[in-house]
Amino acid sequence: IGGGCERQPPPGAMKILCLNCRGLGRPEAVQELRSLVQLHRPSLVFLSETCFFFDTVDVLVGDLGLAFGLGVGSYGRGGGLALLWSRDDDIKLESCDKLHIDATVIDPGTQSPLWRFTGFYGESRRELRHRSWECLKHLSTTSELPWLCAGDFNEVLEAHEQYGGQTRSERQMDGFRDDVQVCGLMDLGFIGL
């Protein structure tokens, strides 16, 4: 809230931090994440590519000073997801798999659902990316609540958003563009690489 205003944010409003970790097996990676959490004080943290081979995130929750969390273990050399949140927030898990964690943010006073958060991690292999778009389309049909879907989709909407690597074809980006439109999503932009 800008301008020195003393108003309280609306119920369910929160800071959210979404990061592709590319592995949390190194102590310096956890320390960097801890520094980001301490600096920004998010209520909700979504991590992709944790490279945890298990679903428990209790140690990470404690290391980051958050109260609750759940994880989806990685398969093979990559993947793994985690959703962590503060004691002040009431989160209800709706579904999860290797591509997403879907949750509803609950009003702590009334216990009614406010909005929905989906942390998403798209298939890393291009030939399997259609699975990501099928998952996203399915998720869009499961609730009428306002929806924030964030994470690493492993795809871009426009060629200028790509940094390094092989140039993407228009056809490759079209699947993601179509899904964004079909799901009624809007690109909020991003900061950083």
Side-chain angles (χ1 to χ4, degrees):
I1 298 172
C5 207
E6 296 296 324
R7 296 181 313 161
Q8 292 293 317
M14 57 178 60
K15 278 188 183 180
I16 300 169
L17 179 65
C18 297
L19 291 171
N20 182 323
C21 296
R22 300 203 174 155
L24 287 173
R26 300 177 328 276
E28 57 272 10
V30 175
Q31 178 56 44
E32 180 67 22
L33 181 56
R34 184 182 306 119
S35 295
L36 284 170
V37 168
Q38 289 172 347
L39 176 66
H40 296 288
R41 302 236 178 260
S43 298
L44 191 66
V45 177
F46 174 70
L47 306 172
S48 58
E49 275 199 284
T50 60
C51 295
F52 288 154
F53 293 104
F54 44 85
D55 293 344
T56 59
V57 292
D58 298 341
V59 172
L60 188 58
V61 166
D63 283 349
L64 299 181
L66 294 164
F68 306 103
L70 58 99
V72 176
S74 61
Y75 303 90
R77 294 185 308 147
L81 307 174
L83 183 64
L84 315 167
W85 61 95
S86 74
R87 183 170 315 287
D88 299 331
D89 297 298
D90 196 355
I91 306 292
K92 177 185 172 203
L93 175 66
E94 300 296 342
S95 66
C96 64
D97 67 19
K98 72 176 195 159
L99 297 178
H100 79 282
I101 298 177
D102 188 41
T104 300
V105 177
I106 307 294
D107 183 315
T110 65
Q111 293 301 302
S112 60
L114 292 170
W115 58 279
R116 180 173 162 219
F117 174 79
T118 302
F120 198 83
Y121 179 68
E123 286 280 1
S124 57
R125 293 174 45 198
R126 288 181 185 170
E127 66 273 14
L128 299 178
R129 213 118 332 120
H130 64 93
R131 293 180 183 173
S132 300
W133 314 146
E134 290 165 9
C135 177
L136 208 52
K137 282 179 194 163
H138 170 73
L139 288 168
S140 75
T141 67
T142 61
S143 174
E144 294 294 320
L145 289 171
W147 185 28
L148 174 63
C149 184
D152 183 351
F153 296 89
N154 274 317
E155 191 53 82
V156 295
L157 292 170
E158 302 293 334
H160 68 34
E161 296 175 343
Q162 181 177 342
Y163 180 81
Q166 272 187 324
T167 303
R168 286 174 157 78
S169 70
E170 286 296 317
R171 183 172 179 262
Q172 184 179 335
M173 292 181 284
D174 281 344
F176 187 32
R177 290 179 189 139
D178 291 346
D179 229 43
V180 166
Q181 185 174 16
V182 167
C183 295
L185 296 172
M186 175 179 50
D187 183 11
L188 297 177
F190 61 93
I191 297 171
L193 299 177

